[in-house]
């Protein structure tokens, strides 16, 4: 063995590195596999598994070293893994929302159709969703902790958090594998549970958690079509609404700013793999306690976020959900609701945007774009005027409204002189900004395009 | 001859006229004529789907060439196959036919095609889709590479019958995400590997490991695909295919394609300085020959060995024919041209609008440019295999074609040009790979573990797998659970491993002249001599000075300069023999193959004035020593052979021999000349005798020195003959090296030493 290391290091030309990688001989190390009843690692489960019927609830046993963390051993017919199950009463409050609100909020999540929001295996899923809106008990929440990034075959979910509403409780089930060979049992247990749910709720699970679970099912021989849920992923709508208002759209940020949840001493998600590797190396469960807690908060926040979006779609703004104070968020929420088909909920928000005295140009532009699309030219022009005025007063180099107005006067009312005036004002605005220098190629293009426009308008004006 | 235009009526007539011109014929050392060859055909296979047969007939294919028919039959019998035929012999049909037939029989089947470059993949897809469309069959062919838009990737993964990709994509995108490709891997029937000869050396060794991983994944999904390989002519196609895919293969090499008469003309530029052995520039001679051909209206391809030469020749040729034909009819083609421009040039060549093209070996690979009539090689392309491939670009099925090879003054060119028999009677080079090079192997063991856990008893390469896995456990990369080893690290291993670069950790060169842009890269072992601080680095004919070398970050910062000197660094090389594996004696020479370490340290650099070559200054280089552990081969002269020779004389003799050897060694190897190094030592530490060392310039070795050890006698015989037959008086760049380097007597001393040692025959 060390002969191999020698050869390897010689080739690498790194003789000095030899001592570093070596395992210190004095420290006795128990890997999790060894601690397991002294049984040969990875091979024990089958022999130990008691005969169970199809619907049997897997047997749970206490393990002394895990007892303090509320974690117990599960014996599934496919093998063993660990489980921490926490039941929160429905009256539990997580930030500003209480879980009792779920019953009122869940059904309106049916508005989540539109191709880009539902990972449906077939196009009729949207209809299906409309006809069978989520009922409180058929939604599964999911969040993984993994050993790496991405959805490659070598990224292992070592902790799998699921949760759901059951009776008068919100149940959080966090499975943990003591070593990679236990993954199969953990997934088998998940597979047993999936059929009772129709909806899957995640945060960034469209590109990460769910594809990864599917990949793990394939790798462990369960096939590629284990469960085909109606997917509700909240990352995309969160970005749509909060992109310009929050520093980032990470779940922890959204929680803090909008759900009233403040995490204390929370383990950053990026440190979770390191904790797990530490545990794998010596079998001491302690470093994982923080991971359990981090994941648990994620699971709770996921439910709170679902409640939030349900309320929004149901038109509960101003009641269970505060009215957004920032104009940007107000307009984005209104436009999102309209896009989701919740026109009644959207209308009052958009109306209040129009009533604002001051707002950044981007707010007016966003709403004007919508009015233009609907052919509401008068409204659009009035918004562009507000936007143009705001840009000129604040010096924000936003020329969008000027250009829209220029186009409007050129093509719709044929008032070339107005069109020219707005184009010139736009150029002035673009040039006066300190970042208008040559370095910024996007700006440069914009300025060139404006000059081009002005030239054209001048020629046109001369002709008529 | 047409009196008015000065043009010959056809190529044959022009060649006859050429033979009457003594001025030119004096430089022709050999005129080889390959007689025309009739097509040998076989009927379309009886079991061929009528749809497919009709589609072929509608394209004018009523029967197959024998090699196509043989390949089809071998594949249908369930064998792995390698088909070896020259350029333009309808090679692609060897695999497309059985694959399409199989897809018509079973719509669920899948095939994976692998090409070394993206451009080749795109050509293939067009070709396959044309056939599928003719059949009206719903067979979907797609490329899957870095250019594939993310939006269509998912559709390709699920629905593509034939996925066309490259080894890099397989390595870093497809295999690590195999669970997204369930449909492909569950149903894969064929893996097609074209341009097999391109997978050699370090790159080939990596690719062999990628294929090991690919097979492992197929096995996981319960499939065991058949391999269909195609290669240009090399000496060992069957062995090479077997090493690359790890299976025994059936060889199909009975070429049945027709070929018109082919003239192969060896042209040696005239000597302009007898004493110094200096010949007229091969670039100017190439210009002359290509210019004559183009003026005759003969569609011509010119191959040059470097990008700079391509541009130079292009400029010359465009000038030369400016008045005769339109400007856009003569084009360049090389790496660095954008794909769109390349497609345009390829199209122009196919439809005849472009009459002449000057290319690097980028056009040597099977890109479809139709068949041209004449080919001019500026310099020997380096290998017999390449030469035939490049020459194959000119050659039509019905009419005659001609290839001129214009020798440069380097020893290998001079050897080939003066020994035409050697070229024509010799099989092309062997493609060598060494997939079990420890460093390469362990990289792929990591990738493979990422893709699927390893299980006790599994095989991966010839090394003991369990030792490697346990090593990776200690390195905290893998975790062992019972009899399985799992990837347990945060990183994505394929991202850190490039299949193409020789040594992984290349230095990048950043030009600060205008903003900062990456100019190029240099491998780790060349860095100390090429990009030390104050070095003049030349890129595309422009001089840059290295301002800062960040050795830890592997970056060199350069700025454009205009100076009248270049720099040359001294490298102190220390060679240690670790282990001798094989030893043989012939004559007064003992040769050995084994493991060596090479310690190289750049010491000083000299500033040398351009043109006059006078030394105008120097400076120290402060860089750490580089250590390379690799395989090597060395031979030592006996005391008798060395007797009576002073140190100085021995030094010159050894240096002279080494200079010749380093140039002709590639005759036996299909490698870049820089992949192998030669070091002469008057009194080597290990042998205590005058010794010449060769070593592979890649950690762990890639089989080059071992091959040279085997052909040692032949190698020295050729070296001796080359020196004997060189027309120079006392050493020139075409043999032992210039007098400035080996001294006035270098040539005779080198020859004397070889003779007294009884080297070669």
């Amino acid at each position: 063995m060390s002969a191999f290391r020698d050869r390897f290091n010689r080739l690498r030309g790194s003789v000095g590195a030899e001592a570093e990688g070596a395992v210190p001989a004095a420290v006795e190390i128990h890997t999790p596999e060894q601690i397991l009843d002294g049984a040969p690692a990875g091979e024990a489960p089958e022999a130990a598994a008691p005969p169970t019927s199809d619907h049997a609830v897997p047997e749970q046993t206490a393990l002394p070293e895990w007892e303090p963390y509320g974690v117990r051993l599960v014996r599934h017919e496919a093998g063993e893994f660990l489980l921490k199950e926490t039941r929160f009463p429905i009256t539990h409050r997580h930030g500003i929302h209480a879980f009792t609100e779920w019953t009122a909020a869940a059904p309106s999540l049916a508005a989540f159709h539109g191709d880009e929001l539902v990972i449906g295996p077939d196009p009729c899923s949207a209809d299906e969703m409309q006809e069978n809106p989520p009922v409180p008990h058929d939604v599964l929440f999911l969040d993984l902790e993994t050993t790496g990034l991405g959805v490659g075959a070598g990224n292992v979910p070592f902790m799998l958090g699921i949760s759901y509403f059951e009776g008068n409780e919100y149940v959080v089930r966090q499975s943990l594998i003591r070593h990679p060979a236990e993954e199969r049992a953990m997934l088998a247990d998940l597979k047993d549970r999936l059929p009772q749910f129709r909806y899957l709720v995640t945060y960034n699970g469209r590109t990460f958690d769910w594809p990864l679970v599917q990949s793990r099912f394939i790798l462990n021989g369960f096939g590629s079509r284990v469960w085909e849920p109606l997917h509700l992923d909240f990352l995309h709508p969160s970005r749509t609404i909060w992109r310009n208002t929050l520093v980032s759209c990470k779940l922890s940020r959204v929680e803090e700013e909008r759900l009233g949840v403040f995490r204390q001493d929370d383990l950053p998600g990026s440190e979770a793999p390191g904790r797990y590797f530490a545990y794998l190396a010596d079998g001491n469960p302690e470093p994982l306690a923080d991971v359990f807690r981090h994941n648990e908060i994620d699971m709770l926040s996921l439910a709170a976020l679902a409640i939030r979006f349900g309320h929004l779609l149901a038109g509960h703004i101003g009641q269970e959900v505060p009215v957004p104070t920032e104009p940007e968020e107000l307009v984005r929420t209104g436009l999102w609701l309209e896009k989701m088909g919740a026109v009644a909920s959207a209308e009052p928000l958009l109306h209040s945007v129009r009533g604002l005295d001051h707002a950044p140009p981007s707010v007016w532009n966003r709403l004007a774009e919508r009015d233009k699309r609907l052919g509401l030219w008068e409204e659009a022009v009035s918004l562009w005027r507000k936007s143009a005025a705001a840009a000129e007063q604040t010096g924000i180099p936003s020329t969008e409204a000027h250009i829209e107005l220029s186009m409007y006067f050129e093509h719709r009312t044929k008032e070339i002189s107005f069109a020219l005036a707005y184009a010139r004002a736009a150029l002035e605005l673009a040039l006066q900004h300190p970042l208008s220098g040559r370095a910024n190629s996007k700006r440069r293009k914009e300025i060139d395009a404006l000059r081009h426009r002005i030239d054209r308008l001048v020629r046109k004006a001369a002709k008529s | 001859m047409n009196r008015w235009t000065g043009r010959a009526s056809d190529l044959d007539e022009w060649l006859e006229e050429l033979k009457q011109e003594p001025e030119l014929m004096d430089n022709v050392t050999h005129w080889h004529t390959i007689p025309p060859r009739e097509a040998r055909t076989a009927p379309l296979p009886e079991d061929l789907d009528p749809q497919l047969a009709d589609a072929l007939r509608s394209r004018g294919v009523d029967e197959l060439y024998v090699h196509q028919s043989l390949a089809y039959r071998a594949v249908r019998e369930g064998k792995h196959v390698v088909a070896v035929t020259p350029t333009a012999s309808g090679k692609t049909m060897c695999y497309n036919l059985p694959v399409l037939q199989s897809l018509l029989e079973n719509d669920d089947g899948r095939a994976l095609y692998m090409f070394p470059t993206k451009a080749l993949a795109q050509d293939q897809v067009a070709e396959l889709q044309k056939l599928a469309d003719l059949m009206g069959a719903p067979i979907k062919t797609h490329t899957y590479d870095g250019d594939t838009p993310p939006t269509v990737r998912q559709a390709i993964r699920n629905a593509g019958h034939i996925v066309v990709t490259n080894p890099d994509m397989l390595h870093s995108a497809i295999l690590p995400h195999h669970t997204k490709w369930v449909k492909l891997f569950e149903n894969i029937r064929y893996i097609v590997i074209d341009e097999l000869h391109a997978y050699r050396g370090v790159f080939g060794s990596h690719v062999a490991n990628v294929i090991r991983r690919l097979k492992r994944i197929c096995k996981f999904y319960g499939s065991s695909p058949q391999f269909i390989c195609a290669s240009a002519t090399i000496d060992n196609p069957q062995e090479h295919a077997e090493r690359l895919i790890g299976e025994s293969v059936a060889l199909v090499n009975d070429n049945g394609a027709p070929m018109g008469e082919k003239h192969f003309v060896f042209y040696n530029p005239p000597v302009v300085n007898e004493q110094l052995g200096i010949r007229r520039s091969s670039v100017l001679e190439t210009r002359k020959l290509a210019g004559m051909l183009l003026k005759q209206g003969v569609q011509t391809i010119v191959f040059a060995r470097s990008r700079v030469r391509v541009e130079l020749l292009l400029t010359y040729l465009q000038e030369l024919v400016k008045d005769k034909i339109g400007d856009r009819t003569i084009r360049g083609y090389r790496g660095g041209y954008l794909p769109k421009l390349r497609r345009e040039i390829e199209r122009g060549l196919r439809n005849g609008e472009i009459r002449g093209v000057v290319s690097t070996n980028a056009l040597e690979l099977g890109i479809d440019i139709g068949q041209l009539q004449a080919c001019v090689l500026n310099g020997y392309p380096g290998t017999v295999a390449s030469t035939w491939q490049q020459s194959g670009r000119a050659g039509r099925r019905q009419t005659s074609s001609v290839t001129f090879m214009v020798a440069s003054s380097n020893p290998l060119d001079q050897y080939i040009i003066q020994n035409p028999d050697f070229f024509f009677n010799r099989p092309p080079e062997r493609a060598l790979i060494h997939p079990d090079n420890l460093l390469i192997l362990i990289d792929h063991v990591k990738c493979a573990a990422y893709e699927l856990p390893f299980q006790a008893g599994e095989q991966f390469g010839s090394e003991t797998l369990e030792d490697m896995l346990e090593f990776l456990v200690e390195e905290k990369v893998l975790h062992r659970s019972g009899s399985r080893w799992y990837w347990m690290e945060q990183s994505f291993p394929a991202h850190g491993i490039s299949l193409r670069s020789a040594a992984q950790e290349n230095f990048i060169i950043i030009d600060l002249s205008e903003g900062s842009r990456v100019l190029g890269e240099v491998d780790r072992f060349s860095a100390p001599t090429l990009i030390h601080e104050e070095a003049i680095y030349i890129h595309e004919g422009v001089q840059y000075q290295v301002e800062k070398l960040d050795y830890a970050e592997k970056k060199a910062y350069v700025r454009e300069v205009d100076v009248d000197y270049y720099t040359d660094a001294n490298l102190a090389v220390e060679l240690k023999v670790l282990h001798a594996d094989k030893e043989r004696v012939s004559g007064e020479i003992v040769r050995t193959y084994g493991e060596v370490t090479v310690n190289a340290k750049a010491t000083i650099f000299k500033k040398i004035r351009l043109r006059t070559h006078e030394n105008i200054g120097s400076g120290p280089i402060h860089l750490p020593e580089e250590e390379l552990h690799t395989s090597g081969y060395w031979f030592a002269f006996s005391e008798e052979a060395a007797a009576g020779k002073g140190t100085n004389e021995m030094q010159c003799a050894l240096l002279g021999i080494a200079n010749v050897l380093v140039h002709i060694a590639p005759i036996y190897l299909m490698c870049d000349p820089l992949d192998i190094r030669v070091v002469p030592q008057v009194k080597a530490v290990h042998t205590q005798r005058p010794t010449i060392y060769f070593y592979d310039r890649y950690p762990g070795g890639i089989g080059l020195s071992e091959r040279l050890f085997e052909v040692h006698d032949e190698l020295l015989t050729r070296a001796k003959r080359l020196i004997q037959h060189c027309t120079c008086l006392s050493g020139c760049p075409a043999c032992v090296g210039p007098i400035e380097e080996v001294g006035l007597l270098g040539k005779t001393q080198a020859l004397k030493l070889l003779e007294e040692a009884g080297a070669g025959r």
Side-chain angles (χ1 to χ4, degrees), chain A residues 178-192:
Chain A
R178 287 170 296 176
H179 50 82
E182 287 189 341
E183 187 192 5
R184 191 163 187 278
M186 174 173 80
L187 289 171
D189 179 67
L190 174 67
K191 183 173 176 266
D192 291 347

PDB file of all heavy atoms in Angstrom, chain A residues 178-192:
ATOM      1  N   ARG A 178     -25.690   6.468   7.756  1.00  0.00           N
ATOM      2  CA  ARG A 178     -24.447   6.427   8.508  1.00  0.00           C
ATOM      3  C   ARG A 178     -23.260   6.170   7.596  1.00  0.00           C
ATOM      4  O   ARG A 178     -22.122   6.371   7.946  1.00  0.00           O
ATOM      5  CB  ARG A 178     -24.531   5.354   9.598  1.00  0.00           C
ATOM      6  CG  ARG A 178     -25.435   5.785  10.750  1.00  0.00           C
ATOM      7  CD  ARG A 178     -25.698   4.630  11.678  1.00  0.00           C
ATOM      8  NE  ARG A 178     -26.442   3.580  10.987  1.00  0.00           N
ATOM      9  CZ  ARG A 178     -26.737   2.408  11.548  1.00  0.00           C
ATOM     10  NH1 ARG A 178     -26.323   2.132  12.771  1.00  0.00           N
ATOM     11  NH2 ARG A 178     -27.425   1.514  10.878  1.00  0.00           N
ATOM     12  N   HIS A 179     -23.531   5.656   6.438  1.00  0.00           N
ATOM     13  CA  HIS A 179     -22.497   5.473   5.418  1.00  0.00           C
ATOM     14  C   HIS A 179     -23.234   5.270   4.103  1.00  0.00           C
ATOM     15  O   HIS A 179     -24.428   4.962   4.094  1.00  0.00           O
ATOM     16  CB  HIS A 179     -21.581   4.288   5.736  1.00  0.00           C
ATOM     17  CG  HIS A 179     -22.310   3.037   6.050  1.00  0.00           C
ATOM     18  ND1 HIS A 179     -22.800   2.211   5.068  1.00  0.00           N
ATOM     19  CD2 HIS A 179     -22.692   2.496   7.229  1.00  0.00           C
ATOM     20  CE1 HIS A 179     -23.421   1.195   5.633  1.00  0.00           C
ATOM     21  NE2 HIS A 179     -23.379   1.351   6.940  1.00  0.00           N
ATOM     22  N   PRO A 180     -22.526   5.443   2.980  1.00  0.00           N
ATOM     23  CA  PRO A 180     -23.242   5.468   1.699  1.00  0.00           C
ATOM     24  C   PRO A 180     -24.022   4.195   1.395  1.00  0.00           C
ATOM     25  O   PRO A 180     -24.994   4.236   0.635  1.00  0.00           O
ATOM     26  CB  PRO A 180     -22.136   5.711   0.669  1.00  0.00           C
ATOM     27  CG  PRO A 180     -20.855   5.694   1.392  1.00  0.00           C
ATOM     28  CD  PRO A 180     -21.106   5.809   2.840  1.00  0.00           C
ATOM     29  N   ALA A 181     -23.642   3.087   1.990  1.00  0.00           N
ATOM     30  CA  ALA A 181     -24.352   1.841   1.674  1.00  0.00           C
ATOM     31  C   ALA A 181     -25.777   1.860   2.227  1.00  0.00           C
ATOM     32  O   ALA A 181     -26.611   1.041   1.846  1.00  0.00           O
ATOM     33  CB  ALA A 181     -23.577   0.642   2.225  1.00  0.00           C
ATOM     34  N   GLU A 182     -26.062   2.778   3.138  1.00  0.00           N
ATOM     35  CA  GLU A 182     -27.420   2.838   3.692  1.00  0.00           C
ATOM     36  C   GLU A 182     -28.389   3.644   2.826  1.00  0.00           C
ATOM     37  O   GLU A 182     -29.580   3.679   3.093  1.00  0.00           O
ATOM     38  CB  GLU A 182     -27.387   3.441   5.113  1.00  0.00           C
ATOM     39  CG  GLU A 182     -26.805   2.488   6.135  1.00  0.00           C
ATOM     40  CD  GLU A 182     -26.966   2.980   7.575  1.00  0.00           C
ATOM     41  OE1 GLU A 182     -27.199   4.184   7.802  1.00  0.00           O
ATOM     42  OE2 GLU A 182     -26.847   2.137   8.475  1.00  0.00           O
ATOM     43  N   GLU A 183     -27.841   4.274   1.786  1.00  0.00           N
ATOM     44  CA  GLU A 183     -28.688   5.132   0.963  1.00  0.00           C
ATOM     45  C   GLU A 183     -29.880   4.383   0.376  1.00  0.00           C
ATOM     46  O   GLU A 183     -30.996   4.898   0.304  1.00  0.00           O
ATOM     47  CB  GLU A 183     -27.858   5.737  -0.177  1.00  0.00           C
ATOM     48  CG  GLU A 183     -28.623   6.774  -0.966  1.00  0.00           C
ATOM     49  CD  GLU A 183     -27.932   7.168  -2.270  1.00  0.00           C
ATOM     50  OE1 GLU A 183     -26.895   6.574  -2.620  1.00  0.00           O
ATOM     51  OE2 GLU A 183     -28.450   8.064  -2.931  1.00  0.00           O
ATOM     52  N   ARG A 184     -29.632   3.155   0.007  1.00  0.00           N
ATOM     53  CA  ARG A 184     -30.678   2.375  -0.659  1.00  0.00           C
ATOM     54  C   ARG A 184     -31.903   2.225   0.256  1.00  0.00           C
ATOM     55  O   ARG A 184     -33.042   2.396  -0.182  1.00  0.00           O
ATOM     56  CB  ARG A 184     -30.109   1.004  -1.045  1.00  0.00           C
ATOM     57  CG  ARG A 184     -31.005   0.263  -1.944  1.00  0.00           C
ATOM     58  CD  ARG A 184     -30.340  -0.883  -2.683  1.00  0.00           C
ATOM     59  NE  ARG A 184     -31.317  -1.375  -3.638  1.00  0.00           N
ATOM     60  CZ  ARG A 184     -32.279  -2.216  -3.313  1.00  0.00           C
ATOM     61  NH1 ARG A 184     -32.375  -2.691  -2.081  1.00  0.00           N
ATOM     62  NH2 ARG A 184     -33.163  -2.590  -4.220  1.00  0.00           N
ATOM     63  N   ALA A 185     -31.646   1.937   1.523  1.00  0.00           N
ATOM     64  CA  ALA A 185     -32.754   1.753   2.462  1.00  0.00           C
ATOM     65  C   ALA A 185     -33.500   3.067   2.671  1.00  0.00           C
ATOM     66  O   ALA A 185     -34.735   3.110   2.706  1.00  0.00           O
ATOM     67  CB  ALA A 185     -32.214   1.228   3.789  1.00  0.00           C
ATOM     68  N   MET A 186     -32.729   4.153   2.766  1.00  0.00           N
ATOM     69  CA  MET A 186     -33.352   5.462   2.972  1.00  0.00           C
ATOM     70  C   MET A 186     -34.271   5.799   1.790  1.00  0.00           C
ATOM     71  O   MET A 186     -35.381   6.296   1.966  1.00  0.00           O
ATOM     72  CB  MET A 186     -32.253   6.525   3.124  1.00  0.00           C
ATOM     73  CG  MET A 186     -32.771   7.945   3.192  1.00  0.00           C
ATOM     74  SD  MET A 186     -31.474   9.135   3.580  1.00  0.00           S
ATOM     75  CE  MET A 186     -30.691   9.324   1.989  1.00  0.00           C
ATOM     76  N   LEU A 187     -33.804   5.509   0.583  1.00  0.00           N
ATOM     77  CA  LEU A 187     -34.605   5.787  -0.603  1.00  0.00           C
ATOM     78  C   LEU A 187     -35.813   4.855  -0.699  1.00  0.00           C
ATOM     79  O   LEU A 187     -36.897   5.269  -1.121  1.00  0.00           O
ATOM     80  CB  LEU A 187     -33.749   5.652  -1.867  1.00  0.00           C
ATOM     81  CG  LEU A 187     -32.698   6.735  -2.085  1.00  0.00           C
ATOM     82  CD1 LEU A 187     -31.796   6.357  -3.251  1.00  0.00           C
ATOM     83  CD2 LEU A 187     -33.352   8.085  -2.353  1.00  0.00           C
ATOM     84  N   ALA A 188     -35.615   3.599  -0.294  1.00  0.00           N
ATOM     85  CA  ALA A 188     -36.724   2.640  -0.324  1.00  0.00           C
ATOM     86  C   ALA A 188     -37.839   3.131   0.590  1.00  0.00           C
ATOM     87  O   ALA A 188     -39.031   3.058   0.252  1.00  0.00           O
ATOM     88  CB  ALA A 188     -36.236   1.260   0.097  1.00  0.00           C
ATOM     89  N   ASP A 189     -37.442   3.650   1.725  1.00  0.00           N
ATOM     90  CA  ASP A 189     -38.429   4.176   2.677  1.00  0.00           C
ATOM     91  C   ASP A 189     -39.160   5.379   2.072  1.00  0.00           C
ATOM     92  O   ASP A 189     -40.379   5.499   2.178  1.00  0.00           O
ATOM     93  CB  ASP A 189     -37.706   4.576   3.971  1.00  0.00           C
ATOM     94  CG  ASP A 189     -38.658   5.163   4.989  1.00  0.00           C
ATOM     95  OD1 ASP A 189     -39.522   4.413   5.485  1.00  0.00           O
ATOM     96  OD2 ASP A 189     -38.544   6.383   5.275  1.00  0.00           O
ATOM     97  N   LEU A 190     -38.401   6.247   1.392  1.00  0.00           N
ATOM     98  CA  LEU A 190     -39.019   7.411   0.743  1.00  0.00           C
ATOM     99  C   LEU A 190     -40.012   6.939  -0.310  1.00  0.00           C
ATOM    100  O   LEU A 190     -41.138   7.431  -0.405  1.00  0.00           O
ATOM    101  CB  LEU A 190     -37.935   8.279   0.094  1.00  0.00           C
ATOM    102  CG  LEU A 190     -38.444   9.458  -0.750  1.00  0.00           C
ATOM    103  CD1 LEU A 190     -39.132  10.499   0.133  1.00  0.00           C
ATOM    104  CD2 LEU A 190     -37.316  10.110  -1.547  1.00  0.00           C
ATOM    105  N   LYS A 191     -39.575   5.961  -1.086  1.00  0.00           N
ATOM    106  CA  LYS A 191     -40.406   5.438  -2.175  1.00  0.00           C
ATOM    107  C   LYS A 191     -41.736   4.897  -1.622  1.00  0.00           C
ATOM    108  O   LYS A 191     -42.790   5.108  -2.208  1.00  0.00           O
ATOM    109  CB  LYS A 191     -39.620   4.328  -2.883  1.00  0.00           C
ATOM    110  CG  LYS A 191     -40.312   3.741  -4.075  1.00  0.00           C
ATOM    111  CD  LYS A 191     -39.384   2.774  -4.799  1.00  0.00           C
ATOM    112  CE  LYS A 191     -40.091   2.082  -5.946  1.00  0.00           C
ATOM    113  NZ  LYS A 191     -40.655   0.787  -5.581  1.00  0.00           N
ATOM    114  N   ASP A 192     -41.667   4.224  -0.476  1.00  0.00           N
ATOM    115  CA  ASP A 192     -42.891   3.699   0.141  1.00  0.00           C
ATOM    116  C   ASP A 192     -43.889   4.811   0.442  1.00  0.00           C
ATOM    117  O   ASP A 192     -45.083   4.634   0.397  1.00  0.00           O
ATOM    118  CB  ASP A 192     -42.571   2.993   1.472  1.00  0.00           C
ATOM    119  CG  ASP A 192     -41.792   1.716   1.244  1.00  0.00           C
ATOM    120  OD1 ASP A 192     -41.728   1.270   0.081  1.00  0.00           O
ATOM    121  OD2 ASP A 192     -41.231   1.185   2.226  1.00  0.00           O
TER     122      ASP A 192
END
